[in-house]
Amino acid sequence: MSEVQDDYAQYAKLSPFELKDELIKLASGSENRLMLNAGRGNPNFLATLPRRAFFRLGLFATSEAELSYSYMPHGVGGLPQIDGIEARFERYTAEHRDQPGVLFLAKSLSYVRDQLGLSASAFLHEMVEGILGANYPVPPRMLKISEQVVSHYIVKEMIGGYVPAGSVDLFAVEGGTAAMTYIFHSLQQNGLVKRGDKVAIGMPAFTPYIEIPELEEFGLEQVHIHADPQANWQYPDSELDKLRDPTIKIFFCINPSNPASVKMDDCSLATVARLVAETRPDLFILTDDVYGTFADDFRSLFATCPRNTLLVYSFSKYFGATGWRLGVIGAHKDSIFDQALAELPEATKASLDRRYGSLLPDVRGLKFLDRLVADSRTVALNHTAGLSTPQQVQMVLFALFALMDESDGYKTELKKLVRRREAALYRELGVAPENDPNAVDYYTLLDLEDLARKLHGDAFATWVKAKFSSGDLLFRIARETGIVLLPGKGFGTQQPAARVSLANLNEYEYANIGRSLRAMAEQYFAEFEGEEGCAQPKP
C-alpha cells in the first residue's frame, strides 16, 4: 500500500485535470484489460444536423464566391454579393433538398425571417461571408445578426419567458475557458476587482475557479459558499448569507454545479435575488451555466439577478462541440458592471482613458463587455479581435437547431441518454442513485464513505475512511481495475469523493465500471472482516 501512497503524495497538489494523466498511465498498465476513462467531461455524443447544414452551407457559399468573379481553373473567387442572394439560395435548397442538412437550412431561413423578424437577405449574406472566413469579424464583439439569433437561444435556455428584444449583449468567445480568462483579466484591468479583494466561490467548483484567484497576478481572498451534500447539494441560507458581507466583490457560481451536477433550486435563486435586492445591489455575479441545457426547467441567476450577473455559456457539452471552442459572455444592457465603471475614482478613470483612448473619443461610455473585447487583444489589436466567423456560423446553426426544435426532441434524448448511463452504473454498483428533481446527471459524485456505508454499514464506512485517503483509493482503482475517476477534493468537496462523468462512455461501460467498483468494495470488505475477526478476543 505504501507504493500507492507514495505515488499519490507526488501529485497531491495537482489539478484533477493534470492528475488524470497520471491515473491514465496506471489504468493503462495492463494489456489484458480495457482502460475506462470516466474522468473527462468531453461528451461522446454530438448534434449532427446543424453540422450537416454547416457543410452544405459552405458549398453554397463557395459557389457564391465563384459567382462574384472566378478565374477558373485557378480556383480564385470573390466576396459574395447580397443582391439576389435570397433567390439564389432558394434555388439551391430546392435543387438539393434531398441532401441531409439542406432542408434544415431552408427552414432556418424561414425561421429567421418569419419568427425572429430579421432580414433574410442580410442573414444569408452574413452566414455566407462568415462561413468563407474571408473578412475580419465585424463588429469584433460578435456579428450583428448572429448576436441576435444566439441571444434568442440564450433567452430561451437560460432565462425562459419573455425578455424584450435587444436586452442582452453577447461577446462570442473561444469557449467557456476563454470567457473565464477574459473576465478575470478585465475585472482587474478596470479596477473592479483588485488584489486583496474578497471573492465568493460556490463550492464545490470547477477547479480553475478555485485556482485562478490564487494566482500571483490576481491575489484575491476566497470566501467559500459550501453546498450541502445532505441537502442534495443546495446552498443553505447560512452559506448564502456570507454574501451579505460588503467586502465581497463578486460571487462565482457554476449552475448546474460541477462536479455535483445539480441546479440551484427555486428557493436558492430567490434567496440570492432577495439578498441582492435588499442588501447587496452592488454585488457582481458570474455564473457559468454550461450544463443548464441538461436540466429540467432551468433558470439562471442571469434571469433572477439580471443587472448584477455576467453569464458564461459554452456550446461544448450540449452540442458535443468541445473542439469547436464556442461560447458567449452575456450581459444585460442595464448592467451594474457599467454602473461600477461610472463610479470609479477620477484617477482610475483617467488611467482607463489612456488605456482605451486609441479606440474612441469617449472612453467613459465604453461598456464593460466591449472592454472585454479590447482586452482580449491587448487593446491595441482590438480591430482584429473577435471569434473567427466560421465558428460564429456554426454557433448560429446550433442555436437555430435548438430554437426550431419546439418539442425539445434533442434535449429529451440527451437527458435520457445520461440517465440510462447513471442507472447502469448504480445498478451494478448495488446502490440506488439519489432521486433529486434538480439533478442534471451529466456527472455523478461517488461519496466513498457514504457508498461504503450503503453497501456494508457504518463500521465498514469508518474503516474505509480511516484506511484510505480519496487520492490513494483513486490510484488503487486505476491500478487494479483500469478505471479513471477524478478526485472530488480537487473540486473542493469536503468529504472523500470521486467524480464520474456520465457523458463520455457508453452504457455498457458504465455497467462495467459499477461492477468493477462493487467487486473492489467486496475485496476491501473481506479485508475489513478479517481485521475485525483478528481484533476480537479469543474465547
Side-chain angles (χ1 to χ4, degrees):
M1 188 169 78
S2 61
E3 177 189 344
V4 178
Q5 289 175 328
D6 289 343
D7 276 346
Y8 183 66
Q10 297 178 55
Y11 308 112
K13 292 183 180 180
L14 290 184
S15 160
F17 301 102
E18 306 305 325
L19 179 63
K20 161 187 60 67
D21 295 333
E22 302 304 323
L23 293 171
I24 288 173
K25 290 177 187 175
L26 263 183
S28 305
S30 173
E31 297 179 358
N32 299 320
R33 73 175 180 225
L34 181 66
M35 188 270 287
L36 293 176
N37 181 4
R40 291 207 71 181
N42 192 100
N44 66 350
F45 49 78
L46 53 87
T48 57
L49 184 55
R51 283 174 165 87
R52 286 186 180 275
F54 179 87
F55 294 117
R56 298 295 181 192
L57 179 63
L59 293 174
F60 172 72
T62 305
S63 68
E64 285 292 292
E66 292 172 343
L67 183 66
S68 178
Y69 65 87
S70 180
Y71 299 107
M72 298 300 286
H74 302 295
V76 180
L79 297 179
Q81 303 299 311
I82 192 170
D83 292 342
I85 193 171
E86 193 173 347
R88 293 193 297 276
F89 180 76
E90 288 176 354
R91 184 164 60 251
Y92 171 80
T93 55
E95 291 173 354
H96 300 88
R97 62 187 301 112
D98 59 325
Q99 297 175 350
V102 172
L103 185 58
F104 172 81
L105 287 175
K107 290 181 177 179
S108 295
L109 183 66
S110 175
Y111 185 87
V112 166
R113 180 185 58 226
D114 302 332
Q115 302 302 317
L116 302 185
L118 302 173
S119 165
S121 294
F123 168 73
L124 269 176
H125 189 247
E126 184 172 291
M127 292 296 99
V128 166
E129 268 207 338
I131 204 167
L132 290 171
N135 269 325
Y136 290 110
V138 179
R141 197 179 79 201
M142 193 167 186
L143 301 176
K144 287 183 178 179
I145 296 179
S146 298
E147 181 178 5
Q148 294 179 67
V149 173
V150 175
S151 68
H152 279 281
Y153 169 74
I154 293 296
V155 166
K156 174 179 181 282
E157 298 293 352
M158 303 290 108
I159 298 175
Y162 174 75
V163 174
S167 65
V168 174
D169 289 332
L170 298 179
F171 172 24
V173 294
E174 305 91 333
T177 52
M180 287 190 286
T181 300
Y182 296 156
I183 289 170
F184 273 99
H185 179 62
S186 285
L187 286 171
Q188 181 195 56
Q189 290 296 322
N190 285 275
L192 300 184
V193 174
K194 301 183 290 296
R195 285 185 63 83
D197 281 347
K198 290 181 181 178
V199 296
I201 305 176
M203 299 289 281
F206 180 51
T207 313
Y209 275 126
I210 307 170
E211 296 172 340
I212 291 174
E214 296 174 344
L215 294 174
E216 181 64 26
E217 59 261 42
F218 296 109
L220 302 173
E221 180 183 340
Q222 295 186 28
V223 176
H224 291 169
I225 311 296
H226 292 288
D228 183 0
Q230 302 305 315
N232 292 325
W233 295 102
Q234 296 299 324
Y235 299 110
D237 286 353
S238 59
E239 289 293 307
L240 292 174
D241 278 347
K242 294 177 182 178
L243 299 175
R244 297 182 184 277
D245 179 355
T247 64
I248 291 176
K249 290 294 184 70
I250 189 163
F251 174 39
F252 298 128
C253 174
I254 302 168
N255 182 31
S257 55
N258 177 6
S261 205
V262 173
K263 72 173 185 178
M264 290 178 70
D265 62 18
D266 292 341
C267 181
S268 295
L269 291 172
T271 298
V272 175
R274 184 169 58 252
L275 185 149
V276 166
E278 296 175 358
T279 310
R280 293 300 314 278
D282 61 329
L283 179 67
F284 299 145
I285 299 173
L286 169 57
T287 182
D288 180 346
D289 293 354
V290 61
Y291 304 104
T293 39
F294 292 89
D296 296 330
D297 304 317
F298 179 71
R299 290 201 85 204
S300 169
L301 284 166
F302 192 60
T304 57
C305 304
R307 294 190 70 243
N308 297 67
T309 304
L310 286 178
L311 170 76
V312 171
Y313 178 75
S314 168
F315 289 72
S316 60
K317 303 300 194 297
Y318 189 54
F319 297 98
T322 54
W324 260 112
R325 316 310 299 138
L326 305 178
V328 290
I329 301 170
H332 286 266
K333 286 189 181 296
D334 179 19
S335 162
I336 68 160
F337 293 87
D338 297 327
Q339 178 184 322
L341 289 173
E343 295 171 354
L344 287 170
E346 182 59 33
T348 305
K349 288 181 180 178
S351 174
L352 293 172
D353 287 345
R354 292 189 293 273
R355 177 175 177 81
Y356 299 108
S358 63
L359 304 182
L360 73 173
D362 178 24
V363 169
R364 300 187 184 190
L366 188 65
K367 288 192 166 192
F368 180 70
L369 202 61
D370 292 309
R371 296 179 190 220
L372 278 167
V373 180
D375 291 335
S376 75
R377 296 299 183 270
T378 327
V379 181
L381 295 168
N382 178 70
H383 64 290
T384 59
L387 185 68
S388 79
T389 58
Q391 287 173 284
Q392 293 194 49
V393 170
Q394 182 67 91
M395 188 189 299
V396 167
L397 293 174
F398 283 149
L400 286 170
F401 174 60
L403 286 167
M404 292 160 57
D405 184 9
E406 294 183 355
S407 65
D408 279 338
Y410 178 77
K411 178 182 290 188
T412 301
E413 188 57 40
L414 291 194
K415 288 179 181 179
K416 289 194 299 185
L417 186 72
V418 295
R419 286 166 183 168
R420 284 197 304 266
R421 293 172 177 182
E422 179 190 46
L425 171 70
Y426 280 93
R427 182 183 65 245
E428 296 301 324
L429 195 50
V431 299
E434 297 292 334
N435 184 18
D436 180 5
N438 296 305
V440 176
D441 303 317
Y442 193 92
Y443 304 108
T444 189
L445 263 181
L446 299 179
D447 183 320
L448 302 177
E449 183 181 358
D450 183 59
L451 194 57
R453 180 176 294 107
K454 287 177 178 176
L455 289 173
H456 292 297
D458 292 341
F460 180 55
T462 302
W463 180 86
V464 166
K465 186 175 182 180
K467 192 85 170 178
F468 311 108
S469 77
S470 59
D472 293 338
L473 205 47
L474 293 185
F475 268 72
R476 283 174 168 264
I477 289 170
R479 189 178 65 174
E480 296 178 21
T481 69
I483 294 167
V484 175
L485 310 176
L486 292 189
K489 182 180 178 182
F491 298 86
T493 62
Q494 294 182 295
Q495 76 286 1
R499 189 190 82 165
V500 183
S501 168
L502 295 170
N504 67 332
L505 297 171
N506 294 314
E507 190 173 328
Y508 76 93
E509 291 171 309
Y510 288 103
N512 288 342
I513 290 174
R515 200 174 302 120
S516 297
L517 293 179
R518 177 61 186 266
M520 190 172 179
E522 295 307 316
Q523 291 174 14
Y524 286 129
F525 183 61
E527 183 179 338
F528 160 73
E529 287 191 308
E531 289 187 12
E532 287 291 293
C534 291
Q536 297 297 323
K538 294 183 180 180

